[in-house]
Amino acid sequence: MENNKVNAEGAEEKKKTRWKQMVKKFGVGGIIFFTVKGIITSTLIYFLGKNFWTVINNYFAGIFN
C-alpha cells in the first residue's frame, strides 16, 4: 500500500518537473505562443487540405490562360 503511494507521488513529481522545465525554458508567454501557433497551423492545414486541389487547379489554370 505504501509502495503504491510512493510510486504515485513519484509519477506526479515527474509531471510537475516536466512542466516546470518547460516553463523555465520557454516562459509562460512561450507556451501560450506555441499553443496558439499549433491551433492556427492545425486550422490552416484542415481548411487548406479540404480545398487544396481546387486552389492548385485554379492557380495553374490562371497561369496558362
Side-chain angles (χ1 to χ4, degrees):
M1 189 99 166
E2 291 179 15
N3 289 337
N4 291 341
K5 284 184 179 180
V6 172
N7 290 339
E9 290 173 0
E12 190 174 318
E13 287 179 11
K14 287 181 184 178
K15 288 181 184 178
K16 288 181 181 178
T17 57
R18 182 175 177 210
W19 276 106
K20 285 181 183 179
Q21 289 173 352
M22 288 180 67
V23 170
K24 189 181 288 186
K25 186 174 184 180
F26 299 114
V28 175
I31 292 173
I32 293 170
F33 170 77
F34 286 119
T35 303
V36 171
K37 180 182 170 190
I39 292 169
I40 291 170
T41 304
S42 299
T43 305
L44 287 175
I45 289 170
Y46 175 74
F47 285 112
L48 292 177
K50 285 174 65 173
N51 299 320
F52 178 73
W53 291 113
T54 307
V55 171
I56 297 298
N57 188 17
N58 291 338
Y59 176 74
F60 283 112
I63 290 175
F64 293 119
N65 282 336

